[in-house]
Amino acid sequence: MDLSCLKTLGIDQTNSGAYAGKWRKTKGEAMAVRSPIDGSTLATVNLADAADYAEVSRGSLAAFRRWRELPAPKRGEYVRLMGERFRQHKEALGRLVTLETGKILPEGLGEVQECIDIADFAVGLSRQLYGLTIASERRYHSMRETWHPLGPVGIVTAFNFPIAVWAWNAMLALVCGDGLIWKPSLKTPLTAIAMTKIAAEVLGGEWQALAGLVIGPDSTVGSALLDDPNVPLVSATGSTRMGRIVGPRVAQRFGRTLLELGGNNAMVVMDDADLDLAVRAIVFGAVGTAGQRCTTTRRLLVHYAIYEQLLGQLAAAYKQCKIGNPLEKNVLVGPLVDEAAAKAFDHAVRSAVEQGGKVVCGGGRAKVPGPLRGGAYVQPTIIRCDEMLPIVREETFAPILYVIPVESVDEAIALNNDVPQGLSSAIFTNNVRSAEQFMAAGGSDCGIANVNIGTSGAEIGGAFGGEKETGGGRESGSDSWKAYMRRQTSTVNWGNELPLSQGIRFGNF
Ligand code: NAD
């Protein structure tokens, strides 16, 4: 495999797992980073320990205390320069994402583009961190609400978006005046090292320590981050299992969390839908990234009148999806991230069949050429179910699509909402009433509800996140920036009396 992108991005054979203004001599386990494509070793990272974490935290806090004094548009200028570097290195970064995650190259490049887009968004935002002026009930008083920097933000990232998730958080946090402490997934540490090198280089001498990075076990550096009183906000992206640990633990010390957890996303297809459009959206949503997106389409709720027709069209479309090396042109399905993910796929298919589902296509491991046998390749799978089987309620991070018949929009909405997760949802219909009902208060209970667009592939301009077991956090566009700042209400008395609010009179005082 061509590994030249590693050199371009300054990744060595052996790398340090902690950055605190300079790379530390980490002494933890030497972890081999393997590519899901073929199981080959890309490089080694010496993991960080709790002492390294303490140094990263100290560095980020000290830099934050000065960074918060810098006017926000000046902070935005640093982010603008970062965006330029991401553009310069788009090709190399995109290849590295593919090497480390196994997603196909166009999606790897798309992820870098997402990072460029959020940098651009953050630059504009650096001049728009608006507060409010509020009418005071007291004469000769003025009242205002301002937003101030928060502190070093802990950023815990999932393996499947190793660049974008950090960038969504980091670009906003930096313009908001915060420091960063990044704890990436141990499955994708090289992308984190590459991105930190770029950010630290742009920040330069005085500010380098703002871009803290710590790569190590959850039990040591992960725990240290969750318990760190100097970290007012932990933004954590990953499984609901992880969120169940992180949420209460950070709350214990009255820290804030921003949780972006698992999804179990449904697409409704009504009998008046444009089926060609729907098929394209379903294939991208269910098969893209080998089913390893939080927004992957996992459930299809199809009007019974078009159920068989749509299944037939989908089965034909699935046949055309080439499985193989994600660096190769025309390949649409790369490997799962590791063998454990493939075992979870096997288990889900087995359970679905035991519970009454019928495999329409796929269902097993994919045959791949010899050099790829070190990877975990599975077939994109469609399973027809007469009802919501117990396994359908779980998120299996693999390309399995459960297809369930429905009789009406009401039933489709009820089934859409009948899972513990609440991230993304979509309806395909040409009926404006059905579309509006799906997006109304009594419609989809998800953070994202689309019409004639699939469940995956969000733009950065909107707030991204979900309800229920997805965690309730919102990241990226709109007013998500408010999570990275603290709100202050100030009232000024410019008169020569001291009226109390609510008209209270306190004796002669
Ligand atoms: P994961 O939960 O295994 O790991 C995510 C991150 O959490 C990693 O950095 C991991 O090291 C860390 N972590 C786990 N337990 C921890 C602990 N006890 N203390 C501190 N850190 C801990 O998830 P994954 O397999 O990397 O990613 C897949 C999952 O992420 C899926 O469930 C997917 O839906 C979800 N995801 C959600 C979003 C979203 O925006 N909602 C985006 C991407 C991925």
Side-chain angles (χ1 to χ4, degrees), residues 156-161 165 183-185 187 218 222-223 226 237-242 245-246 260-263 294 395 397 423 464 470:
V156 177
T157 54
F159 81 84
N160 65 326
F161 277 93
V165 170
K183 198 221 72 64
S185 163
K187 293 173 189 168
D218 297 335
S223 297
L226 303 187
T237 300
S239 59
T240 295
R241 184 196 60 79
M242 174 276 283
I245 298 169
V246 170
E260 297 280 355
L261 310 175
C294 52
E395 180 198 47
F397 223 49
L423 180 53
F464 180 92
T470 303

PDB file of all heavy atoms in Angstrom, residues 156-161 165 183-185 187 218 222-223 226 237-242 245-246 260-263 294 395 397 423 464 470, ligand 1:
ATOM      1  N   VAL A 156     -13.479  13.917  23.255  1.00  0.00           N
ATOM      2  CA  VAL A 156     -13.332  12.460  23.136  1.00  0.00           C
ATOM      3  C   VAL A 156     -13.953  12.066  21.808  1.00  0.00           C
ATOM      4  O   VAL A 156     -15.122  12.375  21.560  1.00  0.00           O
ATOM      5  CB  VAL A 156     -14.065  11.749  24.300  1.00  0.00           C
ATOM      6  CG1 VAL A 156     -13.979  10.236  24.147  1.00  0.00           C
ATOM      7  CG2 VAL A 156     -13.492  12.197  25.645  1.00  0.00           C
ATOM      8  N   THR A 157     -13.175  11.427  20.933  1.00  0.00           N
ATOM      9  CA  THR A 157     -13.711  11.170  19.587  1.00  0.00           C
ATOM     10  C   THR A 157     -13.822   9.679  19.265  1.00  0.00           C
ATOM     11  O   THR A 157     -13.056   8.861  19.752  1.00  0.00           O
ATOM     12  CB  THR A 157     -12.855  11.861  18.505  1.00  0.00           C
ATOM     13  OG1 THR A 157     -11.492  11.463  18.646  1.00  0.00           O
ATOM     14  CG2 THR A 157     -12.952  13.366  18.621  1.00  0.00           C
ATOM     15  N   ALA A 158     -14.798   9.377  18.378  1.00  0.00           N
ATOM     16  CA  ALA A 158     -15.041   8.008  17.913  1.00  0.00           C
ATOM     17  C   ALA A 158     -14.115   7.712  16.730  1.00  0.00           C
ATOM     18  O   ALA A 158     -13.600   8.630  16.088  1.00  0.00           O
ATOM     19  CB  ALA A 158     -16.500   7.881  17.479  1.00  0.00           C
ATOM     20  N   PHE A 159     -13.959   6.428  16.411  1.00  0.00           N
ATOM     21  CA  PHE A 159     -13.021   6.052  15.340  1.00  0.00           C
ATOM     22  C   PHE A 159     -13.530   6.427  13.951  1.00  0.00           C
ATOM     23  O   PHE A 159     -12.751   6.629  13.021  1.00  0.00           O
ATOM     24  CB  PHE A 159     -12.748   4.535  15.384  1.00  0.00           C
ATOM     25  CG  PHE A 159     -13.819   3.722  14.717  1.00  0.00           C
ATOM     26  CD1 PHE A 159     -13.809   3.524  13.338  1.00  0.00           C
ATOM     27  CD2 PHE A 159     -14.873   3.188  15.453  1.00  0.00           C
ATOM     28  CE1 PHE A 159     -14.820   2.796  12.718  1.00  0.00           C
ATOM     29  CE2 PHE A 159     -15.886   2.462  14.824  1.00  0.00           C
ATOM     30  CZ  PHE A 159     -15.854   2.275  13.458  1.00  0.00           C
ATOM     31  N   ASN A 160     -14.876   6.530  13.785  1.00  0.00           N
ATOM     32  CA  ASN A 160     -15.406   6.544  12.422  1.00  0.00           C
ATOM     33  C   ASN A 160     -15.338   7.915  11.746  1.00  0.00           C
ATOM     34  O   ASN A 160     -15.443   7.996  10.537  1.00  0.00           O
ATOM     35  CB  ASN A 160     -16.850   6.001  12.400  1.00  0.00           C
ATOM     36  CG  ASN A 160     -17.795   6.884  13.164  1.00  0.00           C
ATOM     37  OD1 ASN A 160     -17.418   7.488  14.164  1.00  0.00           O
ATOM     38  ND2 ASN A 160     -19.030   6.973  12.714  1.00  0.00           N
ATOM     39  N   PHE A 161     -15.178   8.967  12.524  1.00  0.00           N
ATOM     40  CA  PHE A 161     -14.932  10.298  11.945  1.00  0.00           C
ATOM     41  C   PHE A 161     -13.742  10.908  12.678  1.00  0.00           C
ATOM     42  O   PHE A 161     -13.892  11.824  13.486  1.00  0.00           O
ATOM     43  CB  PHE A 161     -16.181  11.184  12.029  1.00  0.00           C
ATOM     44  CG  PHE A 161     -17.134  10.941  10.905  1.00  0.00           C
ATOM     45  CD1 PHE A 161     -18.175  10.044  11.033  1.00  0.00           C
ATOM     46  CD2 PHE A 161     -16.959  11.571   9.680  1.00  0.00           C
ATOM     47  CE1 PHE A 161     -19.035   9.783   9.982  1.00  0.00           C
ATOM     48  CE2 PHE A 161     -17.825  11.323   8.610  1.00  0.00           C
ATOM     49  CZ  PHE A 161     -18.860  10.422   8.765  1.00  0.00           C
ATOM     50  N   VAL A 165     -15.016  15.011  13.710  1.00  0.00           N
ATOM     51  CA  VAL A 165     -15.590  15.228  15.047  1.00  0.00           C
ATOM     52  C   VAL A 165     -14.703  16.168  15.861  1.00  0.00           C
ATOM     53  O   VAL A 165     -15.184  17.073  16.548  1.00  0.00           O
ATOM     54  CB  VAL A 165     -15.805  13.882  15.768  1.00  0.00           C
ATOM     55  CG1 VAL A 165     -16.161  14.110  17.218  1.00  0.00           C
ATOM     56  CG2 VAL A 165     -16.905  13.077  15.081  1.00  0.00           C
ATOM     57  N   LYS A 183      -8.761  13.509  23.245  1.00  0.00           N
ATOM     58  CA  LYS A 183      -8.495  12.091  23.494  1.00  0.00           C
ATOM     59  C   LYS A 183      -9.170  11.293  22.372  1.00  0.00           C
ATOM     60  O   LYS A 183     -10.357  11.001  22.424  1.00  0.00           O
ATOM     61  CB  LYS A 183      -9.049  11.665  24.859  1.00  0.00           C
ATOM     62  CG  LYS A 183      -8.429  10.366  25.341  1.00  0.00           C
ATOM     63  CD  LYS A 183      -9.401   9.421  26.000  1.00  0.00           C
ATOM     64  CE  LYS A 183     -10.351   8.766  25.089  1.00  0.00           C
ATOM     65  NZ  LYS A 183      -9.805   7.850  24.077  1.00  0.00           N
ATOM     66  N   PRO A 184      -8.384  10.930  21.349  1.00  0.00           N
ATOM     67  CA  PRO A 184      -8.981  10.227  20.210  1.00  0.00           C
ATOM     68  C   PRO A 184      -9.168   8.742  20.496  1.00  0.00           C
ATOM     69  O   PRO A 184      -8.656   8.213  21.489  1.00  0.00           O
ATOM     70  CB  PRO A 184      -7.939  10.421  19.107  1.00  0.00           C
ATOM     71  CG  PRO A 184      -6.642  10.530  19.839  1.00  0.00           C
ATOM     72  CD  PRO A 184      -6.945  11.162  21.173  1.00  0.00           C
ATOM     73  N   SER A 185      -9.875   8.071  19.590  1.00  0.00           N
ATOM     74  CA  SER A 185     -10.017   6.611  19.668  1.00  0.00           C
ATOM     75  C   SER A 185      -8.651   5.962  19.445  1.00  0.00           C
ATOM     76  O   SER A 185      -7.857   6.419  18.618  1.00  0.00           O
ATOM     77  CB  SER A 185     -10.986   6.156  18.582  1.00  0.00           C
ATOM     78  OG  SER A 185     -10.861   4.777  18.374  1.00  0.00           O
ATOM     79  N   LYS A 187      -8.215   3.455  17.895  1.00  0.00           N
ATOM     80  CA  LYS A 187      -8.205   2.853  16.556  1.00  0.00           C
ATOM     81  C   LYS A 187      -7.703   3.840  15.500  1.00  0.00           C
ATOM     82  O   LYS A 187      -7.351   3.437  14.407  1.00  0.00           O
ATOM     83  CB  LYS A 187      -9.615   2.375  16.186  1.00  0.00           C
ATOM     84  CG  LYS A 187     -10.074   1.208  17.049  1.00  0.00           C
ATOM     85  CD  LYS A 187     -11.525   0.849  16.813  1.00  0.00           C
ATOM     86  CE  LYS A 187     -11.958  -0.174  17.861  1.00  0.00           C
ATOM     87  NZ  LYS A 187     -13.396  -0.371  17.904  1.00  0.00           N
ATOM     88  N   ASP A 218      -8.546   4.257  28.081  1.00  0.00           N
ATOM     89  CA  ASP A 218      -9.679   4.922  28.741  1.00  0.00           C
ATOM     90  C   ASP A 218      -9.525   4.856  30.261  1.00  0.00           C
ATOM     91  O   ASP A 218      -9.905   5.783  30.975  1.00  0.00           O
ATOM     92  CB  ASP A 218     -10.996   4.232  28.355  1.00  0.00           C
ATOM     93  CG  ASP A 218     -11.265   4.329  26.864  1.00  0.00           C
ATOM     94  OD1 ASP A 218     -10.749   5.281  26.238  1.00  0.00           O
ATOM     95  OD2 ASP A 218     -11.965   3.450  26.332  1.00  0.00           O
ATOM     96  N   GLY A 222      -8.254   8.464  29.878  1.00  0.00           N
ATOM     97  CA  GLY A 222      -9.688   8.754  29.713  1.00  0.00           C
ATOM     98  C   GLY A 222     -10.282   9.174  31.046  1.00  0.00           C
ATOM     99  O   GLY A 222     -10.945  10.208  31.160  1.00  0.00           O
ATOM    100  N   SER A 223     -10.018   8.387  32.073  1.00  0.00           N
ATOM    101  CA  SER A 223     -10.550   8.696  33.406  1.00  0.00           C
ATOM    102  C   SER A 223     -10.012  10.022  33.921  1.00  0.00           C
ATOM    103  O   SER A 223     -10.750  10.816  34.521  1.00  0.00           O
ATOM    104  CB  SER A 223     -10.147   7.606  34.408  1.00  0.00           C
ATOM    105  OG  SER A 223     -10.709   6.400  34.010  1.00  0.00           O
ATOM    106  N   LEU A 226     -11.972  12.796  32.410  1.00  0.00           N
ATOM    107  CA  LEU A 226     -13.349  12.926  32.929  1.00  0.00           C
ATOM    108  C   LEU A 226     -13.351  13.561  34.317  1.00  0.00           C
ATOM    109  O   LEU A 226     -14.268  14.301  34.674  1.00  0.00           O
ATOM    110  CB  LEU A 226     -14.038  11.562  32.989  1.00  0.00           C
ATOM    111  CG  LEU A 226     -14.123  10.770  31.674  1.00  0.00           C
ATOM    112  CD1 LEU A 226     -14.979   9.514  31.861  1.00  0.00           C
ATOM    113  CD2 LEU A 226     -14.673  11.601  30.528  1.00  0.00           C
ATOM    114  N   THR A 237     -17.998  11.870  21.800  1.00  0.00           N
ATOM    115  CA  THR A 237     -18.694  11.238  20.679  1.00  0.00           C
ATOM    116  C   THR A 237     -18.353   9.758  20.670  1.00  0.00           C
ATOM    117  O   THR A 237     -17.172   9.394  20.697  1.00  0.00           O
ATOM    118  CB  THR A 237     -18.246  11.884  19.351  1.00  0.00           C
ATOM    119  OG1 THR A 237     -18.557  13.272  19.399  1.00  0.00           O
ATOM    120  CG2 THR A 237     -18.949  11.258  18.170  1.00  0.00           C
ATOM    121  N   GLY A 238     -19.364   8.924  20.622  1.00  0.00           N
ATOM    122  CA  GLY A 238     -19.115   7.483  20.600  1.00  0.00           C
ATOM    123  C   GLY A 238     -20.384   6.726  20.926  1.00  0.00           C
ATOM    124  O   GLY A 238     -21.495   7.227  20.733  1.00  0.00           O
ATOM    125  N   SER A 239     -20.221   5.542  21.466  1.00  0.00           N
ATOM    126  CA  SER A 239     -21.370   4.673  21.714  1.00  0.00           C
ATOM    127  C   SER A 239     -22.185   5.144  22.918  1.00  0.00           C
ATOM    128  O   SER A 239     -21.692   5.879  23.782  1.00  0.00           O
ATOM    129  CB  SER A 239     -20.870   3.254  21.981  1.00  0.00           C
ATOM    130  OG  SER A 239     -20.004   3.277  23.089  1.00  0.00           O
ATOM    131  N   THR A 240     -23.422   4.677  22.968  1.00  0.00           N
ATOM    132  CA  THR A 240     -24.267   4.964  24.126  1.00  0.00           C
ATOM    133  C   THR A 240     -23.649   4.356  25.390  1.00  0.00           C
ATOM    134  O   THR A 240     -23.720   4.949  26.466  1.00  0.00           O
ATOM    135  CB  THR A 240     -25.675   4.397  23.850  1.00  0.00           C
ATOM    136  OG1 THR A 240     -26.218   5.139  22.746  1.00  0.00           O
ATOM    137  CG2 THR A 240     -26.593   4.547  25.043  1.00  0.00           C
ATOM    138  N   ARG A 241     -22.995   3.211  25.228  1.00  0.00           N
ATOM    139  CA  ARG A 241     -22.309   2.566  26.369  1.00  0.00           C
ATOM    140  C   ARG A 241     -21.294   3.552  26.984  1.00  0.00           C
ATOM    141  O   ARG A 241     -21.240   3.737  28.201  1.00  0.00           O
ATOM    142  CB  ARG A 241     -21.584   1.302  25.868  1.00  0.00           C
ATOM    143  CG  ARG A 241     -20.913   0.466  26.937  1.00  0.00           C
ATOM    144  CD  ARG A 241     -19.915  -0.509  26.320  1.00  0.00           C
ATOM    145  NE  ARG A 241     -18.857   0.159  25.574  1.00  0.00           N
ATOM    146  CZ  ARG A 241     -17.792   0.737  26.119  1.00  0.00           C
ATOM    147  NH1 ARG A 241     -17.613   0.704  27.433  1.00  0.00           N
ATOM    148  NH2 ARG A 241     -16.895   1.346  25.379  1.00  0.00           N
ATOM    149  N   MET A 242     -20.518   4.203  26.116  1.00  0.00           N
ATOM    150  CA  MET A 242     -19.533   5.172  26.602  1.00  0.00           C
ATOM    151  C   MET A 242     -20.240   6.354  27.276  1.00  0.00           C
ATOM    152  O   MET A 242     -19.856   6.807  28.355  1.00  0.00           O
ATOM    153  CB  MET A 242     -18.659   5.634  25.426  1.00  0.00           C
ATOM    154  CG  MET A 242     -17.685   6.745  25.711  1.00  0.00           C
ATOM    155  SD  MET A 242     -18.411   8.380  25.601  1.00  0.00           S
ATOM    156  CE  MET A 242     -18.494   8.616  23.836  1.00  0.00           C
ATOM    157  N   ILE A 245     -21.232   6.073  30.843  1.00  0.00           N
ATOM    158  CA  ILE A 245     -20.144   6.218  31.823  1.00  0.00           C
ATOM    159  C   ILE A 245     -19.751   7.693  31.947  1.00  0.00           C
ATOM    160  O   ILE A 245     -19.651   8.251  33.034  1.00  0.00           O
ATOM    161  CB  ILE A 245     -18.913   5.374  31.383  1.00  0.00           C
ATOM    162  CG1 ILE A 245     -19.287   3.897  31.329  1.00  0.00           C
ATOM    163  CG2 ILE A 245     -17.716   5.632  32.305  1.00  0.00           C
ATOM    164  CD1 ILE A 245     -18.260   2.999  30.666  1.00  0.00           C
ATOM    165  N   VAL A 246     -19.555   8.317  30.781  1.00  0.00           N
ATOM    166  CA  VAL A 246     -19.020   9.686  30.768  1.00  0.00           C
ATOM    167  C   VAL A 246     -20.002  10.689  31.396  1.00  0.00           C
ATOM    168  O   VAL A 246     -19.599  11.538  32.220  1.00  0.00           O
ATOM    169  CB  VAL A 246     -18.666  10.101  29.315  1.00  0.00           C
ATOM    170  CG1 VAL A 246     -18.345  11.583  29.223  1.00  0.00           C
ATOM    171  CG2 VAL A 246     -17.500   9.263  28.799  1.00  0.00           C
ATOM    172  N   GLU A 260     -22.658  13.006  21.985  1.00  0.00           N
ATOM    173  CA  GLU A 260     -23.069  12.650  20.609  1.00  0.00           C
ATOM    174  C   GLU A 260     -22.911  11.141  20.504  1.00  0.00           C
ATOM    175  O   GLU A 260     -21.815  10.642  20.233  1.00  0.00           O
ATOM    176  CB  GLU A 260     -22.163  13.357  19.595  1.00  0.00           C
ATOM    177  CG  GLU A 260     -22.241  14.871  19.635  1.00  0.00           C
ATOM    178  CD  GLU A 260     -23.454  15.428  18.895  1.00  0.00           C
ATOM    179  OE1 GLU A 260     -24.191  14.663  18.258  1.00  0.00           O
ATOM    180  OE2 GLU A 260     -23.659  16.653  18.972  1.00  0.00           O
ATOM    181  N   LEU A 261     -24.018  10.409  20.735  1.00  0.00           N
ATOM    182  CA  LEU A 261     -23.898   8.959  20.896  1.00  0.00           C
ATOM    183  C   LEU A 261     -24.579   8.207  19.742  1.00  0.00           C
ATOM    184  O   LEU A 261     -24.849   8.784  18.699  1.00  0.00           O
ATOM    185  CB  LEU A 261     -24.472   8.573  22.259  1.00  0.00           C
ATOM    186  CG  LEU A 261     -23.919   9.412  23.432  1.00  0.00           C
ATOM    187  CD1 LEU A 261     -24.616   9.065  24.733  1.00  0.00           C
ATOM    188  CD2 LEU A 261     -22.415   9.259  23.559  1.00  0.00           C
ATOM    189  N   GLY A 262     -24.846   6.944  19.966  1.00  0.00           N
ATOM    190  CA  GLY A 262     -25.298   6.065  18.887  1.00  0.00           C
ATOM    191  C   GLY A 262     -26.644   6.446  18.289  1.00  0.00           C
ATOM    192  O   GLY A 262     -27.479   7.099  18.931  1.00  0.00           O
ATOM    193  N   GLY A 263     -26.857   6.013  17.050  1.00  0.00           N
ATOM    194  CA  GLY A 263     -28.121   6.262  16.357  1.00  0.00           C
ATOM    195  C   GLY A 263     -28.727   4.954  15.869  1.00  0.00           C
ATOM    196  O   GLY A 263     -28.048   3.928  15.822  1.00  0.00           O
ATOM    197  N   CYS A 294     -22.786   7.213  12.427  1.00  0.00           N
ATOM    198  CA  CYS A 294     -23.841   7.329  13.435  1.00  0.00           C
ATOM    199  C   CYS A 294     -25.185   7.560  12.761  1.00  0.00           C
ATOM    200  O   CYS A 294     -26.227   7.207  13.296  1.00  0.00           O
ATOM    201  CB  CYS A 294     -23.520   8.451  14.409  1.00  0.00           C
ATOM    202  SG  CYS A 294     -23.144  10.005  13.593  1.00  0.00           S
ATOM    203  N   GLU A 395     -28.277  -0.709  17.895  1.00  0.00           N
ATOM    204  CA  GLU A 395     -27.395  -0.197  16.845  1.00  0.00           C
ATOM    205  C   GLU A 395     -26.266  -1.202  16.626  1.00  0.00           C
ATOM    206  O   GLU A 395     -25.451  -1.414  17.516  1.00  0.00           O
ATOM    207  CB  GLU A 395     -26.787   1.151  17.256  1.00  0.00           C
ATOM    208  CG  GLU A 395     -25.864   1.730  16.186  1.00  0.00           C
ATOM    209  CD  GLU A 395     -24.916   2.822  16.705  1.00  0.00           C
ATOM    210  OE1 GLU A 395     -24.295   2.617  17.771  1.00  0.00           O
ATOM    211  OE2 GLU A 395     -24.798   3.858  16.041  1.00  0.00           O
ATOM    212  N   PHE A 397     -23.043  -1.625  14.372  1.00  0.00           N
ATOM    213  CA  PHE A 397     -22.258  -0.709  13.538  1.00  0.00           C
ATOM    214  C   PHE A 397     -21.720  -1.440  12.307  1.00  0.00           C
ATOM    215  O   PHE A 397     -20.524  -1.727  12.180  1.00  0.00           O
ATOM    216  CB  PHE A 397     -21.131  -0.124  14.385  1.00  0.00           C
ATOM    217  CG  PHE A 397     -20.948   1.359  14.172  1.00  0.00           C
ATOM    218  CD1 PHE A 397     -22.029   2.226  14.214  1.00  0.00           C
ATOM    219  CD2 PHE A 397     -19.680   1.899  13.938  1.00  0.00           C
ATOM    220  CE1 PHE A 397     -21.875   3.584  14.011  1.00  0.00           C
ATOM    221  CE2 PHE A 397     -19.508   3.259  13.738  1.00  0.00           C
ATOM    222  CZ  PHE A 397     -20.609   4.096  13.770  1.00  0.00           C
ATOM    223  N   LEU A 423     -31.336   9.909  16.732  1.00  0.00           N
ATOM    224  CA  LEU A 423     -30.431  10.804  16.002  1.00  0.00           C
ATOM    225  C   LEU A 423     -31.050  11.323  14.691  1.00  0.00           C
ATOM    226  O   LEU A 423     -31.503  12.443  14.609  1.00  0.00           O
ATOM    227  CB  LEU A 423     -29.091  10.096  15.738  1.00  0.00           C
ATOM    228  CG  LEU A 423     -28.040  10.911  14.980  1.00  0.00           C
ATOM    229  CD1 LEU A 423     -27.804  12.264  15.636  1.00  0.00           C
ATOM    230  CD2 LEU A 423     -26.720  10.144  14.893  1.00  0.00           C
ATOM    231  N   PHE A 464     -26.062  19.727  14.825  1.00  0.00           N
ATOM    232  CA  PHE A 464     -26.059  18.279  14.626  1.00  0.00           C
ATOM    233  C   PHE A 464     -26.140  17.559  15.967  1.00  0.00           C
ATOM    234  O   PHE A 464     -25.375  17.863  16.886  1.00  0.00           O
ATOM    235  CB  PHE A 464     -24.770  17.861  13.904  1.00  0.00           C
ATOM    236  CG  PHE A 464     -24.687  16.377  13.661  1.00  0.00           C
ATOM    237  CD1 PHE A 464     -25.152  15.830  12.477  1.00  0.00           C
ATOM    238  CD2 PHE A 464     -24.166  15.528  14.624  1.00  0.00           C
ATOM    239  CE1 PHE A 464     -25.100  14.467  12.262  1.00  0.00           C
ATOM    240  CE2 PHE A 464     -24.118  14.161  14.418  1.00  0.00           C
ATOM    241  CZ  PHE A 464     -24.580  13.628  13.228  1.00  0.00           C
ATOM    242  N   THR A 470     -29.212   9.035  22.221  1.00  0.00           N
ATOM    243  CA  THR A 470     -28.162   9.673  21.422  1.00  0.00           C
ATOM    244  C   THR A 470     -27.489  10.784  22.240  1.00  0.00           C
ATOM    245  O   THR A 470     -26.418  11.261  21.860  1.00  0.00           O
ATOM    246  CB  THR A 470     -28.738  10.171  20.065  1.00  0.00           C
ATOM    247  OG1 THR A 470     -29.326   9.051  19.408  1.00  0.00           O
ATOM    248  CG2 THR A 470     -27.678  10.748  19.162  1.00  0.00           C
TER     249      THR A 470
HETATM  250  P1  NAD B   1     -16.711   3.992  21.525  1.00  0.00           P
HETATM  251  O1  NAD B   1     -17.792   4.364  22.446  1.00  0.00           O
HETATM  252  O2  NAD B   1     -16.144   2.628  21.606  1.00  0.00           O
HETATM  253  O3  NAD B   1     -15.483   5.015  21.707  1.00  0.00           O
HETATM  254  C1  NAD B   1     -15.637   6.405  21.488  1.00  0.00           C
HETATM  255  C2  NAD B   1     -14.596   7.165  22.271  1.00  0.00           C
HETATM  256  O4  NAD B   1     -14.916   7.084  23.657  1.00  0.00           O
HETATM  257  C3  NAD B   1     -13.176   6.615  22.138  1.00  0.00           C
HETATM  258  O5  NAD B   1     -12.269   7.681  22.104  1.00  0.00           O
HETATM  259  C4  NAD B   1     -13.014   5.805  23.392  1.00  0.00           C
HETATM  260  O6  NAD B   1     -11.672   5.642  23.747  1.00  0.00           O
HETATM  261  C5  NAD B   1     -13.768   6.676  24.388  1.00  0.00           C
HETATM  262  N1  NAD B   1     -14.215   5.998  25.599  1.00  0.00           N
HETATM  263  C6  NAD B   1     -14.913   4.841  25.686  1.00  0.00           C
HETATM  264  N2  NAD B   1     -15.137   4.538  26.988  1.00  0.00           N
HETATM  265  C7  NAD B   1     -14.567   5.529  27.725  1.00  0.00           C
HETATM  266  C8  NAD B   1     -14.434   5.770  29.125  1.00  0.00           C
HETATM  267  N3  NAD B   1     -14.928   4.935  30.026  1.00  0.00           N
HETATM  268  N4  NAD B   1     -13.771   6.869  29.519  1.00  0.00           N
HETATM  269  C9  NAD B   1     -13.277   7.743  28.621  1.00  0.00           C
HETATM  270  N5  NAD B   1     -13.351   7.559  27.292  1.00  0.00           N
HETATM  271  C10 NAD B   1     -13.991   6.459  26.849  1.00  0.00           C
HETATM  272  O7  NAD B   1     -17.249   4.277  20.028  1.00  0.00           O
HETATM  273  P2  NAD B   1     -16.570   3.941  18.627  1.00  0.00           P
HETATM  274  O8  NAD B   1     -16.658   2.476  18.372  1.00  0.00           O
HETATM  275  O9  NAD B   1     -15.236   4.613  18.518  1.00  0.00           O
HETATM  276  O10 NAD B   1     -17.549   4.724  17.639  1.00  0.00           O
HETATM  277  C11 NAD B   1     -18.767   4.196  17.197  1.00  0.00           C
HETATM  278  C12 NAD B   1     -19.922   4.749  17.999  1.00  0.00           C
HETATM  279  O11 NAD B   1     -19.895   6.170  17.993  1.00  0.00           O
HETATM  280  C13 NAD B   1     -21.272   4.385  17.400  1.00  0.00           C
HETATM  281  O12 NAD B   1     -22.164   4.085  18.439  1.00  0.00           O
HETATM  282  C14 NAD B   1     -21.694   5.650  16.678  1.00  0.00           C
HETATM  283  O13 NAD B   1     -23.084   5.777  16.485  1.00  0.00           O
HETATM  284  C15 NAD B   1     -21.156   6.694  17.601  1.00  0.00           C
HETATM  285  N6  NAD B   1     -20.956   7.970  16.913  1.00  0.00           N
HETATM  286  C16 NAD B   1     -21.839   8.972  17.200  1.00  0.00           C
HETATM  287  C17 NAD B   1     -21.721  10.182  16.530  1.00  0.00           C
HETATM  288  C18 NAD B   1     -22.700  11.296  16.788  1.00  0.00           C
HETATM  289  O14 NAD B   1     -22.409  12.412  16.402  1.00  0.00           O
HETATM  290  N7  NAD B   1     -23.844  11.041  17.422  1.00  0.00           N
HETATM  291  C19 NAD B   1     -20.688  10.389  15.612  1.00  0.00           C
HETATM  292  C20 NAD B   1     -19.802   9.344  15.368  1.00  0.00           C
HETATM  293  C21 NAD B   1     -19.953   8.134  16.032  1.00  0.00           C
END
